[in-house]
Amino acid sequence: MQIVYESRNKINTKTNAALLVEKLAKLGCDTVFGYPGAAVLSVYNELSKTKKIKHVLVRHEQAALHAAEGYARTSGKAGVVLVTSGPGFTNTITGIANAYADSTPLVVLVGDVSKKGKYGKTFQDIDILSMTKTCSKKGFLITKDDDIALVLEKAFIEANSGVKGPVVIAMPRNVLESQGVQKRENAETEIELKLPPKADMNKFIELLQNAERPLILLGGGVVDASSEITDFVSKYKIPAVSTLMGVGVCPTDNSNYLGMIGMNGSFIANSVLNHADLIVALGVSFSDRSTCKNSDFAKKSKIININLKKLSDDFELEIQTDAKLFINSIKNYDIKLKDIAKWLNDIDILRSENVVSETASDRMHSSYVLETLSKLTKDYEPIVVTDVGQHQMLTAQYFKFNKPRRFITSGGLGTMGYGLPASIGAYIANKNNLVLNITGDGSFQMNLQELATCREHNIPIKIIIMNNGYLGMVRQLQEKIYKNTYQVEMTNPDFTKIAEAYDLFAIRIEKKEELVSKLRIALEHQGTAIVDIMIDSFEEV
């Protein structure tokens, strides 16, 4: 009889691919957006065995990144992407850069060619980490000696800590298919946020109490502090404005909120900004789209910058801390503001003198469509995902957002084609919410192949196409700067027929009088709905 002796030390027999999927589930990942290829087939094999993680097959790798962004920005969790080597990876660069620009937490799993001794060129060999070095928070290259589960844990912590962003993990095929290493080590814990120094808090209180025309400026970095900020603004009656990425942090219906600043912002918000004597900036990146000319930005004002990272030596006060922690720290201080009644009265006068009304015209304008859509969907409290262009800026101005994580857009990079896949991700993370994708005819055609993803997974988003037959924002700039329009007029396909090819519902709106009734039909449709709205070709922001 043969005797088999069992080793006292437990030997791992799982592949790195198996350990990767196992760890993803333990970290709370329920969805992976991806596109398969040879380098990652071992991971796909393991995904096929688990019911804990759903894989969403997109039709282009860039769309996988944007879908993961929509998922992350509406859920607060890191989005996860899985792509293969070579062009599978290079197609993700725009999405990685977009997530980096907007501080969106992603973990991007990239298949790589086998790292073996080789002669000559290797099919689909790309230096992944070098290519993403300037547009990601961190990169990892898995070797045969690494504990892949430990690396994955570190990646999630990095993506979600401090200034959030995308983390890339390059995974050679031979390493994924080989037996894994389990070192039983613990990853570093999430970075502990420190309370603001007492001296800085005292100076902040002093500056605030001496201000006669204070203003709160909200950026995208404070989305997690929306409730605290709204309470602070309401308690002290301090007017507030936001950047594009800060829209929704303070409810649009809050009487203290004045709108979005910047080159495409509202007249009132920009006017108040230019007359304030103290600006408290919370989670603001001070991009050129908000400040326009830095030399002219808020010249009459002292600026207090509250941010996780240092931005400038020119501010009156800069406190490196988490905005939520900062606002909660303020509660420990007795703040006595100056009488700002005159400041508030001046703002009310400005508001009354600058009421924007719909231009009398038979042609539909985006502003009219968006105001109408906002009223129709108010009770739904929808998640609104835009693409990039005139419709994006007009949505920020005319749609009402009374909760955070309801307005999702590409801000720092301005990526056309972002909206449709990001809407898919937003719905998957929030299946009880109405999701609207407000897009332009140019942006929609950048990633319209994702209609197939909508059809396959029965994604009931409502796609609102502002169809003006132009690249509207570029046309507007050409007219102002060069006094012409060149290569911006578009010969578009019939979007309703494209929808039909994907077996999806579509409806066209050409007249004002049919807008409400047809929007209602689309909103009540149970699946994906495409609404092609013919708007004024020469509308401007």
Side-chain angles (χ1 to χ4, degrees):
M1 183 176 69
Q2 184 178 8
I3 299 176
V4 179
Y5 293 94
E6 185 174 298
S7 170
R8 293 183 180 181
N9 298 317
K10 186 177 180 181
I11 299 174
N12 172 53
T13 57
K14 295 180 180 178
T15 64
N16 274 312
L19 293 172
L20 175 75
V21 172
E22 186 179 278
K23 187 64 176 181
L24 279 173
K26 287 180 179 177
L27 289 169
C29 171
D30 54 27
T31 307
V32 172
F33 301 91
Y35 203 100
V40 287
L41 288 185
S42 58
V43 180
Y44 274 87
N45 184 52
E46 297 301 329
L47 283 172
S48 72
K49 301 174 185 177
T50 180
K51 294 182 179 179
K52 295 181 179 178
I53 301 172
K54 177 184 172 108
H55 177 269
V56 177
L57 176 66
V58 295
R59 299 309 190 262
H60 191 282
E61 289 88 355
Q62 180 185 340
L65 269 293
H66 296 328
E69 288 181 273
Y71 177 97
R73 287 181 55 184
T74 56
S75 70
K77 297 168 60 178
V80 180
V81 173
L82 175 62
V83 295
T84 193
S85 56
F89 158 68
T90 58
N91 283 342
T92 69
I93 293 292
T94 297
I96 294 171
N98 193 80
Y100 186 68
D102 288 342
S103 301
T104 303
L106 300 182
V107 175
V108 185
L109 305 171
V110 183
D112 199 359
V113 299
S114 297
K115 298 301 182 184
K116 299 177 180 178
K118 59 182 182 288
Y119 299 96
K121 292 183 178 180
T122 300
F123 179 65
Q124 295 191 339
D125 190 10
I126 297 286
D127 189 341
I128 293 167
L129 297 192
S130 292
M131 288 188 70
T132 57
K133 188 175 182 180
T134 60
C135 61
S136 63
K137 276 195 73 179
K138 194 165 185 175
F140 296 91
L141 173 62
I142 303 292
T143 71
K144 61 181 179 62
D145 297 320
D146 288 322
D147 182 337
I148 197 168
L150 182 61
V151 172
L152 190 62
E153 188 174 343
K154 289 179 179 179
F156 269 80
I157 290 170
E158 183 69 36
N160 275 308
S161 296
V163 179
K164 300 175 182 180
V167 176
V168 177
I169 303 178
M171 310 177 300
R173 176 177 179 173
N174 60 314
V175 175
L176 284 173
E177 295 172 354
S178 64
Q179 182 175 302
V181 174
Q182 292 178 288
K183 294 183 177 180
R184 309 292 185 185
E185 296 177 13
N186 293 320
E188 297 174 8
T189 57
E190 191 169 342
I191 300 169
E192 186 177 350
L193 299 172
K194 296 181 180 179
L195 288 168
K198 191 172 183 179
D200 286 345
M201 291 300 297
N202 288 334
K203 186 173 181 181
F204 165 78
I205 299 300
E206 180 185 351
L207 287 167
L208 186 61
Q209 291 185 150
N210 288 329
E212 295 181 350
R213 300 184 302 279
L215 181 68
I216 305 294
L217 174 57
L218 304 170
V222 292
V223 66
D224 290 329
S226 174
S227 176
E228 291 80 2
I229 288 169
T230 301
D231 289 345
F232 176 77
V233 167
S234 299
K235 179 179 179 180
Y236 292 103
K237 308 299 180 187
I238 301 174
V241 294
S242 75
T243 64
L244 175 69
M245 299 302 289
V247 169
V249 170
C250 185
T252 306
D253 285 343
N254 188 303
S255 60
N256 301 290
Y257 179 70
L258 305 175
M260 182 181 75
I261 66 163
M263 64 184 293
N264 294 299
S266 71
F267 174 80
I268 293 173
N270 283 324
S271 295
V272 172
L273 180 84
N274 289 328
H275 287 88
D277 64 357
L278 179 71
I279 295 173
V280 180
L282 298 166
V284 177
S285 64
F286 292 93
S287 77
D288 60 345
R289 289 301 188 270
S290 294
T291 63
C292 299
K293 293 181 179 179
N294 281 333
S295 58
D296 294 334
F297 180 75
K299 291 200 298 187
K300 301 176 183 178
S301 178
K302 295 177 180 178
I303 298 176
I304 300 173
N305 182 43
I306 315 298
N307 209 312
L308 284 169
K309 61 182 179 181
K310 185 176 177 61
L311 294 178
S312 173
D313 292 323
D314 295 333
F315 297 125
E316 187 73 19
L317 175 63
E318 188 165 37
I319 305 177
Q320 285 183 255
T321 189
D322 174 71
K324 190 170 186 175
L325 196 60
F326 173 79
I327 293 292
N328 285 329
S329 297
I330 293 175
K331 296 176 183 178
N332 299 322
Y333 294 81
D334 182 24
I335 301 175
K336 291 183 172 58
L337 296 181
K338 282 189 173 183
D339 185 354
I340 60 172
K342 184 179 183 306
W343 173 229
L344 298 178
N345 185 61
D346 290 344
I347 292 173
D348 285 340
I349 292 172
L350 192 65
R351 273 174 158 169
S352 64
E353 292 176 347
N354 289 275
V355 177
V356 180
S357 58
E358 168 68 8
T359 304
S361 171
D362 291 334
R363 296 176 179 177
M364 268 189 294
H365 293 141
S366 298
S367 54
Y368 175 73
V369 172
L370 291 164
E371 282 189 324
T372 303
L373 184 60
S374 182
K375 290 174 184 176
L376 277 177
T377 59
K378 183 178 180 180
D379 292 340
Y380 292 99
E381 295 183 332
I383 294 170
V384 178
V385 185
T386 78
D387 269 289
V388 171
Q390 289 175 318
H391 69 273
Q392 174 192 32
M393 299 304 163
L394 291 167
T395 300
Q397 289 188 34
Y398 288 97
F399 214 98
K400 291 187 178 297
F401 298 99
N402 291 316
K403 287 185 177 181
R405 301 190 185 279
R406 289 294 194 275
F407 177 58
I408 309 300
T409 195
S410 170
L413 198 64
T415 304
M416 293 175 70
Y418 170 85
L420 176 54
S423 300
I424 292 170
Y427 171 75
I428 288 172
N430 305 269
K431 292 185 178 178
N432 293 322
N433 284 91
L434 170 65
V435 178
L436 304 175
N437 170 211
I438 298 174
T439 184
D441 47 343
S443 287
F444 178 62
Q445 293 181 80
M446 290 276 188
N447 266 319
L448 64 77
Q449 76 283 339
E450 297 311 314
L451 291 176
T453 308
C454 291
R455 181 67 183 87
E456 180 180 342
H457 295 279
N458 193 29
I459 308 288
I461 59 175
K462 313 307 174 190
I463 303 163
I464 314 296
I465 304 172
M466 300 298 187
N467 190 344
N468 63 2
Y470 275 91
L471 296 173
M473 187 69 84
V474 182
R475 175 195 58 75
Q476 185 175 326
L477 290 171
Q478 279 184 336
E479 288 178 338
K480 289 183 177 181
I481 300 171
Y482 297 103
K483 311 302 180 188
N484 68 19
T485 58
Y486 178 70
Q487 289 291 288
V488 287
E489 188 171 2
M490 304 185 74
T491 302
N492 289 322
D494 185 333
F495 294 124
T496 63
K497 289 184 178 179
I498 287 178
E500 184 181 348
Y502 283 101
D503 193 23
L504 296 173
F505 172 84
I507 195 167
R508 176 176 288 127
I509 302 175
E510 299 180 89
K511 299 176 182 178
K512 276 186 175 181
E513 55 265 31
E514 62 185 10
L515 179 64
V516 172
S517 61
K518 287 192 173 181
L519 279 176
R520 281 186 172 143
I521 291 171
L523 291 170
E524 291 169 4
H525 181 71
Q526 295 301 303
T528 309
I530 295 119
V531 185
D532 185 15
I533 306 180
M534 312 308 289
I535 61 168
D536 185 354
S537 295
F538 297 97
E539 181 181 18
E540 295 193 356
V541 177

